[in-house]
C-alpha cells in the first residue's frame, strides 16, 4: 500500500491492490491530475499532458504558449490567474482583491490518517496519508491538500486545510473539499434526489456541456439531495462497468457539481456550498474543510456499494457499534402521537415483551406541555401528568420487564411557546429587523453560540447520567431560516451556517464520547439529514417518515447505494398507512422492514390475536437470521420496473436470503427469473422450504423462478443454507 514520489518525474503514485491515483507537479508550481482507476504496477507517464497553443488562452509561463491553466487537468483550481472553470476555493483580501497564486512547496507522507479538528472523518489505521503544501508568497497563505489511501479499499479521501501566515485577515468565500479533472466527458451522472417522505430517488443522466450541480442551502444535507454524485459509463449497471463515486462527510449546506468543459474534460468538485458561506481567517489561524470520499469500482454499482458499506461500517460509525447487533424496537409515535399515559405505555411494553421485542422507545410528547406540536420544545422536563414518576420511573419499569428503554429528543429546536424562549430569546437563529419564520411551529436554536451548546450538553447529560436510557432518537424537523446570530459581528454573519454545524458536531462529540454504550439514532423527519457526517456519531438513521412498504422498497433501495441495511431504520407500521393510505400485508411490511434495521411502530395492544402471533413469528425469524440481515453482504438484484417489482440478496458464509417484492400484479405476466449472481459458485445450498440442493453457480447463472402472483404488493422470501 505505498504512496511513492518519483523525484525525477515529479509524480506521486498512490496505489494499492485495487486502485491507483496519480498526481503530477508541473513547472514546480501546479498540481495536476494524471490518473485514477484500476491499480497500475507502476506509472511512467504514457498519457502525457497534451500541450497545444490554443487561441484565447492565457499562459502563466511567458516562454510556453502551449501551457494554459484553462486546459490543464488539475487537483485544485487557481484563482484569477487563468483557470476559468469552477473553482475549489476563493479568497478575498481586506482590500477587496480576490487573486491568489499558490505554488507547490513540499510534501509529507505519513502512516495512518489524522483526524480533522472539529469535523467527523473516517478512521484509518491501515492507511497512508499524503499532504501537499502549496504557498501564496504574496499573502503568506498556505493550502494543504490532504490525501489518504486505504490498504483494503479502492478509496482515497481528500480534504483541504488553509493557514494564514500573514499579518492581515483574509476572507475565504469558497472552501471546497476536493476538485478533480477527469480527461473524458462520456459519463452518466448518478445522484440521489427526493423530498420529505420520498427520499433517495435514483437520478441518472448523461453529462452535457456546462455545469450540472446538486446542492443544499437549507442548513442541512437535506432530503432533496444526498451530498453524493457518481460518474459512470453509459453501459454501467448494478453488475458491471466503471464507477467513480464522490461523497462528502458533512451535514450542512453543500455543493456537488461537474463541469463538462470545452476541451473534453469533466471537472468534479465537492464542498461547502459557497453562496451561504464565508470565513474570516485571522492571522495565524487555520480553516479545515470537510472530508470527501472518492471510490472506484470496475464491478458496477454493487461493487461501489460494497466499498461504501464496508468502509462506513468499519471506519465511520462509532467503534463500539460496528460489530454489535442492533435490538428490535417498538416506537410509540404512530401508535400514540402525543396522547399517552404511563399506564398505556406499560401495557404496550408488556405486549412488546411478549412478542419478543427488545427495545421500547417513547417518542415525542413526554416533556413540558407537549400535547401537540405547537409548544414546549426546549422545555426538557418531564410532563408529570403523563408520567407521574418521570422518565426515570418509567424507564425502570420498562427495564424490569426485560426491555431496553429509548427516548426521543429534538435538541436543536425551540418553540416560541416555551419557558426556554421566554428566558433566552437571543438563543434563536435570527437577523435584526425581520420576523422569525416558523416551521412546524418551531424555531431553531443558535448552535453557533457556545452557551447554547453547553445548555444542550448539560440537558442531555442530566438524562443519560441516570443510566436508565439505552437509546436516543435525535430528531430535527425543519430547515434553517434567518440564519444569523447576535453573538457574532456583522463581518462574520456568513459563517453562521457552518458554525451551526460545527456546534452540532461538538455537542454530539461530547455526548456520544461520554455515553458510548447508548445507541443513538439520527433522524430529520426521516432522511432529512442522512449523511456520513451524522453517521460518524450515530450508528443508524431513521430512513424516512414514510413507512409504506412500496415506498420504502424504493427509498431503501436508493439509500443502499451508499449505506448498508443496518444503518437504515425500518419499521412495520399500521395499515392503512398513515402517509399514503395504502394497505399492504403484514407479511410484506415485515420483510421490507427486515431489509433495514428492523422494528415496529404501531399499537401492539390493538392488534388481533392472529396478527400478534404473526409478529412473534417475524421476530423469531429475524432473531435467528439477525447476523445475516445486519452484517451479511447486501446486493441489489433488480431495480424497480414499471410495476415496482424489485429484488435484493443478503448473503454470508453460512446462508443466503433473496427477497422479491412484486409491486403491482399485472396481466399477461412475462416469464421471470432472478439470478443471485453473488453466491459462491462451487458451494452447495439447501433450500430451507423444499430441501432441494442446488449449486451456487446454478442460482447465480440460471436463477430462481418467480411464480405468477395475482396480488398487489406481495413479497416472496427464498432462503438457502450453505451445506
Amino acid at each position: 500500500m505505498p504512496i511513492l514520489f518519483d523525484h525525477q518525474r515529479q509524480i506521486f503514485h498512490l496505489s494499492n491492490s485495487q486502485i491507483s491515483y496519480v498526481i503530477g507537479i508541473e513547472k514546480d508550481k501546479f498540481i495536476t491530475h494524471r490518473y485514477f482507476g484500476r491499480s497500475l504496477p507502476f506509472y511512467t507517464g504514457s498519457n502525457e499532458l497534451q500541450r497545444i497553443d490554443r487561441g484565447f488562452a492565457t499562459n502563466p509561463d511567458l516562454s510556453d504558449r502551449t501551457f494554459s491553466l484553462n486546459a490543464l487537468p488539475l487537483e485544485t483550481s487557481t484563482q484569477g490567474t487563468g483557470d476559468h472553470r469552477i473553482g475549489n476555493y476563493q479568497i478575498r483580501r481586506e482590500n477587496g482583491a480576490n487573486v491568489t497564486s499558490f505554488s507547490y512547496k513540499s510534501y509529507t507522507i505519513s502512516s495512518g490518517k489524522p483526524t480533522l479538528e472539529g469535523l467527523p472523518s473516517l478512521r484509518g489505521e491501515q492507511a497512508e496519508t499524503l499532504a501537499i503544501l502549496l504557498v501564496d508568497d504574496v499573502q503568506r497563505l498556505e493550502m494543504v491538500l490532504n490525501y489518504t489511501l486505504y490498504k483494503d479499499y479502492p478509496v482515497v479521501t481528500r480534504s483541504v486545510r488553509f493557514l494564514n501566515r500573514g499579518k492581515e485577515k483574509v476572507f475565504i468565500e469558497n472552501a471546497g473539499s476536493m476538485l478533480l479533472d477527469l480527461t473524458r466527458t462520456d459519463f452518466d451522472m448518478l445522484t440521489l434526489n427526493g423530498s420529505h417522505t420520498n427520499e433517495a430517488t435514483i437520478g441518472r443522466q448523461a453529462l452535457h456541456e456546462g455545469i450540472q450541480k446538486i446542492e443544499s442551502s437549507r442548513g442541512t444535507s437535506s432530503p432533496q439531495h444526498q451530498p453524493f454524485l457518481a460518474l459512470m459509463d453509459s453501459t454501467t449497471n448494478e453488475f458491471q462497468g466503471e464507477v467513480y463515486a464522490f461523497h462528502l462527510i458533512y451535514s450542512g449546506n453543500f455543493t456537488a457539481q461537474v463541469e463538462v468543459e470545452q476541451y473534453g474534460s469533466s471537472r468534479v468538485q465537492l464542498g461547502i456550498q459557497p453562496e451561504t458561506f464565508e470565513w474570516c481567517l485571522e492571522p495565524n489561524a487555520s480553516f479545515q474543510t470537510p472530508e470527501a470520499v472518492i471510490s472506484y469500482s470496475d464491478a458496477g454499482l454493487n461493487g461501489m456499494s460494497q466499498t461504501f458499506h464496508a468502509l462506513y461500517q468499519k471506519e465511520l460509525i462509532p467503534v463500539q457499534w460496528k460489530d454489535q447487533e442492533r435490538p428490535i424496537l417498538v416506537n410509540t409515535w404512530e401508535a400514540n402521537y402525543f396522547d399517552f399515559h404511563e399506564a398505556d405505555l406499560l401495557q404496550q411494553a408488556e405486549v412488546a415483551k411478549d412478542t419478543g421485542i427488545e427495545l421500547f422507545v417513547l417518542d415525542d410528547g413526554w416533556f413540558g406541555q407537549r400535547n401537540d406540536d405547537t409548544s414546549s420544545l426546549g422545555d426538557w422536563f418531564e410532563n408529570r401528568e403523563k408520567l407521574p414518576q418521570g422518565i426515570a420511573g418509567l424507564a425502570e419499569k420498562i427495564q424490569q420487564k426485560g426491555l431496553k428503554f429509548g427516548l426521543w429528543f429534538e435538541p436543536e429546536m425551540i418553540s416560541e411557546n416555551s419557558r426556554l424562549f421566554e428566558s433566552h430569546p437571543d438563543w434563536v437563529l435570527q437577523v435584526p429587523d425581520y420576523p422569525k419564520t416558523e416551521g412546524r411551529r418551531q424555531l431553531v436554536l443558535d448552535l453557533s453560540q457556545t452557551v447554547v451548546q453547553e445548555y444542550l450538553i448539560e440537558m442531555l447529560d442530566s438524562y443519560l447520567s441516570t443510566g436508565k436510557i439505552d437509546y436516543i432518537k435525535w430528531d430535527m424537523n425543519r430547515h434553517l431560516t434567518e440564519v444569523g446570530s447576535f453573538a457574532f459581528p456583522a463581518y462574520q454573519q456568513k459563517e453562521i451556517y457552518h458554525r451551526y454545524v460545527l456546534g452540532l458536531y461538538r455537542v454530539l462529540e461530547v455526548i456520544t464520547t461520554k455515553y458510548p454504550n447508548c445507541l443513538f439514532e439520527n433522524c430529520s423527519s426521516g432522511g432529512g439529514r442522512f449523511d456520513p457526517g451524522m453517521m460518524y456519531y450515530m450508528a443508524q438513521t431513521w430512513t424516512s417518515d414514510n413507512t409504506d412498504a412500496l415506498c420504502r422498497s424504493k427509498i431503501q433501495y436508493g439509500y443502499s447505494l451508499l449505506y448498508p441495511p443496518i444503518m437504515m431504520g425500518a419499521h412495520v407500521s399500521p395499515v392503512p398507512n398513515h402517509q399514503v393510505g395504502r394497505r399492504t400485508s403484514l407479511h410484506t411490511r415485515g420483510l421490507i422492514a427486515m431489509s433495514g434495521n428492523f422494528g415496529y411502530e404501531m399499537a401492539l395492544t390493538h392488534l388481533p390475536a392472529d396478527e400478534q402471533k404473526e409478529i412473534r413469528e417475524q421476530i423469531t425469524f429475524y432473531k435467528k437470521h439477525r447476523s445475516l440481515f445486519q452484517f451479511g453482504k447486501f446486493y441489489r438484484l433488480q431495480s424497480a420496473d414499471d410495476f415496482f417489482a424489485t429484488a435484493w440478496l443478503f448473503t454470508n458464509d453460512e446462508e443466503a436470503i433473496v427477497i422479491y417484492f412484486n409491486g403491482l400484479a399485472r396481466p399477461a405476466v412475462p416469464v421471470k427469473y432472478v439470478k443471485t449472481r453473488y453466491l459462491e459458485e462451487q458451494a452447495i445450498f439447501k433450500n430451507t422450504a423444499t430441501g432441494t440442493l442446488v449449486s451456487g453457480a446454478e442460482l447465480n447463472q440460471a436463477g430462481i423462478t418467480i411464480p405468477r402472483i395475482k396480488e398487489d404488493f406481495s413479497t416472496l422470501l427464498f432462503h438457502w443454507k450453505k451445506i
Side-chain angles (χ1 to χ4, degrees), residues 324-361:
Q324 190 165 334
E325 290 184 344
R326 309 299 164 75
I328 303 168
L329 66 80
V330 62
N331 181 290
T332 63
W333 180 242
E334 288 198 22
N336 299 91
Y337 293 102
F338 299 98
D339 184 15
F340 57 82
H341 187 274
E342 181 183 279
D344 304 323
L345 300 176
L346 293 174
Q347 186 180 10
Q348 292 175 44
E350 189 64 37
V351 176
K353 174 61 177 176
D354 181 63
T355 61
I357 285 170
E358 299 159 325
L359 168 65
F360 185 90
V361 179

Coordinates of all heavy atoms in Angstrom, one line a residue, residues 324-361:
Q324 N -21.7 -4.7 16.7 CA -22.7 -5.0 17.7 C -24.1 -5.1 17.1 O -24.5 -4.2 16.4 CB -22.6 -3.9 18.8 CG -23.5 -4.3 20.1 CD -23.2 -3.4 21.3 OE1 -22.1 -2.9 21.4 NE2 -24.1 -3.3 22.2
E325 N -24.8 -6.2 17.5 CA -26.1 -6.4 16.9 C -27.0 -5.3 17.5 O -26.9 -4.8 18.6 CB -26.7 -7.7 17.4 CG -26.0 -8.9 16.6 CD -26.6 -10.2 17.0 OE1 -27.4 -10.3 18.0 OE2 -26.4 -11.2 16.3
R326 N -28.0 -4.9 16.6 CA -29.0 -3.9 17.0 C -30.3 -4.5 17.5 O -30.7 -5.5 16.9 CB -29.3 -3.0 15.8 CG -28.0 -2.4 15.1 CD -27.1 -1.5 16.0 NE -25.8 -1.4 15.4 CZ -25.6 -0.6 14.4 NH1 -26.6 0.1 13.9 NH2 -24.4 -0.5 13.9
P327 N -30.9 -3.9 18.5 CA -32.1 -4.5 19.1 C -33.3 -4.3 18.2 O -33.4 -3.3 17.4 CB -32.2 -3.8 20.4 CG -31.6 -2.5 20.2 CD -30.4 -2.8 19.2
I328 N -34.3 -5.2 18.3 CA -35.6 -5.0 17.6 C -36.4 -4.0 18.5 O -36.6 -4.3 19.7 CB -36.3 -6.3 17.4 CG1 -35.5 -7.3 16.6 CG2 -37.7 -6.1 16.8 CD1 -36.0 -8.7 16.7
L329 N -36.9 -3.0 18.0 CA -37.6 -2.0 18.8 C -39.0 -1.8 18.4 O -39.5 -2.2 17.3 CB -36.8 -0.6 18.7 CG -36.8 0.2 17.4 CD1 -38.1 0.9 17.1 CD2 -35.6 1.1 17.3
V330 N -39.8 -1.2 19.3 CA -41.1 -0.6 19.0 C -41.1 0.8 19.4 O -40.6 1.2 20.5 CB -42.2 -1.4 19.7 CG1 -42.1 -1.3 21.2 CG2 -43.6 -0.9 19.2
N331 N -41.5 1.7 18.5 CA -41.6 3.1 18.7 C -43.0 3.5 18.8 O -43.9 3.1 18.1 CB -40.9 3.8 17.5 CG -40.9 5.3 17.7 OD1 -42.0 6.0 17.6 ND2 -39.7 5.9 17.9
T332 N -43.3 4.4 19.8 CA -44.7 4.8 20.1 C -45.4 5.8 19.2 O -46.6 6.0 19.3 CB -44.8 5.3 21.5 OG1 -44.0 6.6 21.6 CG2 -44.2 4.4 22.6
W333 N -44.6 6.4 18.3 CA -45.2 7.5 17.5 C -46.5 7.3 16.8 O -47.5 7.9 17.1 CB -44.1 8.1 16.6 CG -44.6 9.3 15.8 CD1 -44.7 9.4 14.5 CD2 -45.0 10.6 16.3 NE1 -45.1 10.6 14.1 CE2 -45.3 11.4 15.3 CE3 -45.1 11.1 17.6 CZ2 -45.8 12.7 15.4 CZ3 -45.5 12.4 17.8 CH2 -45.9 13.2 16.7
E334 N -46.5 6.3 15.9 CA -47.7 6.1 15.1 C -48.8 5.4 15.9 O -49.9 5.3 15.5 CB -47.4 5.3 13.8 CG -46.6 6.2 12.8 CD -46.7 5.6 11.4 OE1 -47.6 4.8 11.1 OE2 -45.8 6.0 10.6
A335 N -48.4 4.9 17.1 CA -49.4 4.3 17.9 C -50.1 5.3 18.8 O -51.3 5.3 19.0 CB -48.8 3.2 18.8
N336 N -49.4 6.3 19.3 CA -49.9 7.3 20.2 C -49.9 8.7 19.8 O -50.7 9.5 20.3 CB -49.1 7.2 21.6 CG -49.2 5.8 22.2 OD1 -48.3 4.9 21.9 ND2 -50.2 5.5 23.0
Y337 N -48.9 9.1 19.0 CA -48.6 10.5 18.7 C -48.4 11.2 20.1 O -47.5 10.7 20.9 CB -49.6 11.2 17.9 CG -49.6 10.6 16.4 CD1 -50.6 9.6 16.0 CD2 -48.6 10.9 15.6 CE1 -50.5 9.1 14.7 CE2 -48.5 10.4 14.3 CZ -49.5 9.5 13.9 OH -49.4 8.9 12.6
F338 N -49.2 12.2 20.4 CA -48.9 12.9 21.7 C -49.8 12.4 22.9 O -49.7 12.9 24.0 CB -49.2 14.4 21.5 CG -48.3 15.1 20.5 CD1 -48.7 15.3 19.2 CD2 -47.0 15.5 20.8 CE1 -47.9 15.9 18.2 CE2 -46.2 16.1 19.9 CZ -46.7 16.3 18.6
D339 N -50.7 11.5 22.6 CA -51.7 11.1 23.5 C -51.3 9.8 24.2 O -51.5 8.7 23.6 CB -53.1 11.0 22.8 CG -54.2 10.7 23.7 OD1 -54.0 10.8 24.9 OD2 -55.3 10.2 23.2
F340 N -50.8 9.9 25.4 CA -50.5 8.7 26.1 C -50.4 9.0 27.6 O -50.3 10.1 28.1 CB -49.2 8.1 25.6 CG -48.0 9.0 25.7 CD1 -47.3 9.2 26.9 CD2 -47.6 9.7 24.6 CE1 -46.2 10.1 27.0 CE2 -46.5 10.6 24.7 CZ -45.8 10.8 25.9
H341 N -50.4 7.9 28.4 CA -50.2 8.0 29.9 C -49.3 6.8 30.2 O -49.3 5.8 29.5 CB -51.5 7.9 30.6 CG -51.4 8.1 32.1 ND1 -51.1 7.1 33.0 CD2 -51.5 9.3 32.8 CE1 -51.1 7.6 34.2 NE2 -51.3 8.9 34.1
E342 N -48.6 6.9 31.4 CA -47.7 5.8 31.8 C -48.4 4.4 31.7 O -47.8 3.5 31.3 CB -47.1 6.1 33.1 CG -46.1 5.1 33.6 CD -45.6 5.3 35.0 OE1 -44.7 6.1 35.1 OE2 -46.1 4.7 35.9
A343 N -49.6 4.4 32.2 CA -50.3 3.1 32.2 C -50.4 2.5 30.9 O -50.3 1.3 30.7 CB -51.6 3.2 32.9
D344 N -50.8 3.3 29.9 CA -50.9 2.9 28.5 C -49.5 2.3 28.0 O -49.4 1.3 27.3 CB -51.3 4.0 27.6 CG -52.6 4.6 28.0 OD1 -53.5 3.9 28.5 OD2 -52.8 5.8 27.9
L345 N -48.5 3.1 28.3 CA -47.1 2.7 27.8 C -46.7 1.4 28.4 O -46.1 0.5 27.7 CB -46.1 3.8 28.1 CG -46.4 5.2 27.5 CD1 -45.4 6.2 28.0 CD2 -46.4 5.1 26.0
L346 N -47.0 1.2 29.7 CA -46.6 -0.1 30.3 C -47.3 -1.3 29.8 O -46.8 -2.4 29.6 CB -46.8 0.0 31.8 CG -45.9 1.0 32.6 CD1 -46.3 1.2 34.0 CD2 -44.4 0.6 32.4
Q347 N -48.6 -1.0 29.4 CA -49.4 -2.1 28.8 C -48.8 -2.5 27.4 O -48.7 -3.6 27.1 CB -50.8 -1.7 28.6 CG -51.7 -2.8 28.1 CD -53.2 -2.4 28.0 OE1 -53.5 -1.2 28.1 NE2 -54.1 -3.3 27.8
Q348 N -48.4 -1.4 26.6 CA -47.8 -1.7 25.3 C -46.5 -2.4 25.5 O -46.1 -3.3 24.7 CB -47.6 -0.3 24.6 CG -48.9 0.4 24.2 CD -48.6 1.7 23.6 OE1 -47.7 1.9 22.8 NE2 -49.4 2.7 24.0
A349 N -45.7 -2.0 26.5 CA -44.4 -2.7 26.8 C -44.6 -4.1 27.1 O -43.8 -5.0 26.7 CB -43.7 -1.9 27.9
E350 N -45.6 -4.5 27.9 CA -45.9 -5.8 28.2 C -46.2 -6.7 27.0 O -45.6 -7.8 26.8 CB -47.1 -5.9 29.2 CG -47.3 -7.3 29.8 CD -46.2 -7.7 30.7 OE1 -45.6 -6.9 31.4 OE2 -45.9 -8.9 30.7
V351 N -47.0 -6.2 26.1 CA -47.2 -6.9 24.8 C -46.0 -7.0 24.0 O -45.7 -8.0 23.4 CB -48.4 -6.2 24.0 CG1 -48.6 -6.9 22.7 CG2 -49.7 -6.2 24.8
A352 N -45.2 -5.9 23.9 CA -44.0 -5.9 23.2 C -43.0 -7.0 23.7 O -42.4 -7.7 22.9 CB -43.3 -4.5 23.3
K353 N -42.9 -7.1 25.0 CA -42.0 -8.1 25.6 C -42.5 -9.5 25.2 O -41.7 -10.4 24.8 CB -42.0 -8.0 27.1 CG -41.3 -9.1 27.8 CD -39.8 -9.1 27.4 CE -39.0 -10.2 28.1 NZ -37.6 -10.3 27.7
D354 N -43.8 -9.7 25.2 CA -44.4 -11.0 24.8 C -44.2 -11.4 23.4 O -44.0 -12.6 23.1 CB -45.9 -11.0 25.1 CG -46.6 -12.3 24.8 OD1 -46.2 -13.3 25.5 OD2 -47.4 -12.3 23.9
T355 N -44.1 -10.4 22.5 CA -43.8 -10.7 21.1 C -42.3 -10.9 20.8 O -42.0 -11.4 19.7 CB -44.3 -9.6 20.2 OG1 -43.6 -8.4 20.5 CG2 -45.8 -9.3 20.3
G356 N -41.5 -10.6 21.7 CA -40.0 -10.7 21.5 C -39.3 -9.5 21.2 O -38.1 -9.5 21.0
I357 N -40.0 -8.3 21.2 CA -39.3 -7.0 21.0 C -38.3 -6.8 22.2 O -38.6 -7.2 23.3 CB -40.4 -5.9 20.9 CG1 -41.0 -6.0 19.5 CG2 -39.8 -4.5 21.1 CD1 -42.2 -5.1 19.3
E358 N -37.3 -6.0 21.9 CA -36.2 -5.9 22.8 C -36.0 -4.5 23.4 O -35.3 -4.2 24.4 CB -34.8 -6.3 22.2 CG -34.9 -7.8 21.8 CD -33.9 -8.1 20.7 OE1 -33.6 -7.3 19.8 OE2 -33.4 -9.3 20.7
L359 N -36.5 -3.5 22.6 CA -36.3 -2.1 23.0 C -37.6 -1.3 22.8 O -38.2 -1.4 21.8 CB -35.2 -1.5 22.1 CG -35.0 0.1 22.0 CD1 -34.5 0.6 23.4 CD2 -34.0 0.5 20.9
F360 N -38.0 -0.6 23.9 CA -39.2 0.2 23.9 C -38.8 1.7 23.8 O -38.1 2.2 24.7 CB -40.0 0.0 25.1 CG -41.4 0.6 25.2 CD1 -42.5 0.0 24.7 CD2 -41.5 1.9 25.7 CE1 -43.7 0.6 24.7 CE2 -42.7 2.6 25.7 CZ -43.8 1.9 25.2
V361 N -39.3 2.4 22.8 CA -38.9 3.8 22.5 C -40.1 4.7 22.7 O -41.1 4.6 22.0 CB -38.3 3.9 21.1 CG1 -37.9 5.4 20.9 CG2 -37.1 3.0 20.9

